[in-house]
Amino acid sequence: MFDTFVKGFAEQLAGYGFEREKGARVFRRFSRDRDVFIVELQSSTHSTRTEKVFYINVALVLAPHWESHRRRLGLPVSELPREVHGIWRHRIGFTTLSGGDQWKIKDRATLVKVSKDVRRRVDETLPELLQMLDRDTLFVDAAERFRGRAWQVRAWLLAEKGPSEELERLLSSGEPGAVRVIREYLANSYGTSELLRTRPQLRHESDSGSDQTRRATDAGPAVQGRVAEDNVVQVLKRISGYIGYVYDDLDEAALTGALDDTNDESADAWFRYPLMGMPPLLVHLAQSPGSAVVSVHIEGTMGQVLTTRIEALLDLP
């Protein structure tokens, strides 16, 4: 009867783009970045000859995190990750995520009921969870979804792109064991464990600004809006959180008095400020004459999720 359940479960997951590992009860869906979402059926030691007890484990495995683990253990490139390797792990239960998570099949009636309940819970849960395979969404929701481990998620994704000042900022306050592994990954991937240790010099750039700023400027159309002058710092902090940039007192100091000579009616009187996260953004700020309102233009390669979140922020009164 459990084999019958597994067959139906596999068919349902196939509809979500999962592939089953041959000879195993492990299902994987890869993203274009080679991150992988894993669903794994785990038998419980409470199973008996007449009752099958099992769990539905789910996990997100980030490509650079798995690559680091595979190298350290000397595993072949063909080796695939399991649920235990996830940077985020939970169980799908019959009430909530990781709640009431022990499923039981003992006869035909419970097979039908469990199959129906699991199908419902998977359809309720997976569409939201699979959004984690979109890295734009992953960065935007990191603090809420991963909480204390959000910095690790961002650090691994930054590390995949190589040493950077922003990565060093994250590692400087991270948990030592995780920091050591990430630095080891950097050393093996890029031949160095030394990261940039200085703040970006760009604060108020002219049209001949840095290469980093030009990359953000040339990336696509701007998100535009207006915010109350008192809310500018709040908006910049929120946007920084969305892209994994650590906004701190140095950023606030750079903004002090910076808008005094700006004017949103003049193309040459805007203050420009980079937020070098993922993706890098260039923020243009200018006061509206005679009011306590600041006009905001934000440029960069922004996916739909990030664009929508920023547009909502720019509606702040």
Side-chain angles (χ1 to χ4, degrees):
M1 286 186 291
F2 186 60
D3 288 341
T4 300
F5 166 81
V6 173
K7 181 179 179 181
F9 187 70
E11 291 173 353
Q12 182 183 14
L13 291 186
Y16 285 98
F18 284 83
E19 296 182 0
R20 182 179 180 180
E21 179 179 334
K22 186 176 181 180
R25 294 166 183 157
V26 181
F27 308 83
R28 299 180 181 87
R29 174 173 162 176
F30 286 86
S31 73
R32 62 173 180 243
D33 299 301
R34 301 304 292 170
D35 299 331
V36 56
F37 196 90
I38 298 175
V39 179
E40 188 169 322
L41 297 177
Q42 175 192 350
S43 295
S44 170
T45 55
H46 293 97
S47 296
T48 67
R49 292 180 59 188
T50 59
E51 183 178 59
K52 183 68 174 182
V53 182
F54 64 97
Y55 303 95
I56 303 175
N57 300 327
V58 293
L60 174 70
V61 178
L62 296 178
H65 187 222
W66 165 244
E67 178 65 12
S68 170
H69 183 79
R70 187 187 64 76
R71 287 176 183 172
R72 283 187 285 115
L73 295 184
L75 301 174
V77 176
S78 59
E79 187 78 13
L80 294 175
R82 300 290 297 264
E83 174 267 340
V84 70
H85 301 123
I87 198 166
W88 176 92
R89 300 166 61 198
H90 276 283
R91 283 174 170 164
I92 295 180
F94 49 83
T95 53
T96 59
L97 199 64
S98 287
D101 53 12
Q102 195 176 73
W103 299 90
K104 301 177 181 179
I105 295 175
K106 61 181 180 180
D107 52 30
R108 183 65 57 180
T110 54
L111 168 63
V112 172
K113 185 179 187 306
V114 167
S115 296
K116 179 180 178 181
D117 289 345
V118 166
R119 177 170 291 276
R120 174 181 57 82
R121 289 295 294 131
V122 166
D123 286 339
E124 290 173 348
T125 309
L126 267 190
E128 178 185 352
L129 297 182
L130 289 176
Q131 293 180 31
M132 288 191 286
L133 290 178
D134 181 318
R135 287 192 173 179
D136 284 344
T137 302
L138 194 63
F139 256 82
V140 168
D141 292 338
E144 179 180 348
R145 189 178 295 278
F146 302 102
R147 301 189 184 278
R149 301 197 73 187
W151 77 269
Q152 286 192 46
V153 173
R154 288 171 168 161
W156 277 111
L157 297 183
L158 287 167
E160 187 178 51
K161 296 181 178 295
S164 69
E165 184 271 344
E166 188 58 29
L167 175 57
E168 180 61 26
R169 295 279 299 276
L170 286 172
L171 297 183
S172 65
S173 58
E175 187 273 320
V179 169
R180 176 180 55 79
V181 174
I182 294 172
R183 289 193 184 281
E184 180 184 271
Y185 168 83
L186 283 167
N188 291 332
S189 299
Y190 296 95
T192 178
S193 59
E194 287 298 316
L195 302 182
L196 301 178
R197 297 179 181 275
T198 58
R199 296 285 295 170
Q201 297 300 310
L202 179 62
R203 292 302 180 190
H204 190 172
E205 287 289 335
S206 66
D207 289 340
S208 60
S210 72
D211 289 342
Q212 287 180 321
T213 303
R214 282 198 296 272
R215 284 197 294 272
T217 304
D218 297 340
V223 175
Q224 305 181 37
R226 294 161 63 116
V227 298
E229 184 177 356
D230 291 343
N231 285 332
V232 170
V233 171
Q234 177 189 354
V235 167
L236 292 181
K237 285 183 176 180
R238 292 286 296 276
I239 294 173
S240 297
Y242 293 161
I243 63 174
Y245 176 78
V246 182
Y247 191 97
D248 61 16
D249 56 344
L250 293 178
D251 297 284
E252 290 194 31
L255 197 64
T256 301
L259 303 184
D260 292 349
D261 298 324
T262 61
N263 186 333
D264 65 0
E265 296 178 356
S266 172
D268 299 324
W270 288 68
F271 176 76
R272 303 197 304 171
Y273 195 79
L275 299 176
M276 301 311 297
M278 288 181 62
L281 301 178
L282 182 61
V283 180
H284 303 247
L285 302 167
Q287 288 184 322
S288 181
S291 75
V293 174
V294 174
S295 293
V296 184
H297 292 202
I298 300 174
E299 299 172 339
T301 306
M302 293 173 278
Q304 185 59 49
V305 173
L306 181 58
T307 298
T308 300
R309 293 288 180 88
I310 293 176
E311 287 175 341
L313 286 180
L314 299 188
D315 287 337
L316 287 175

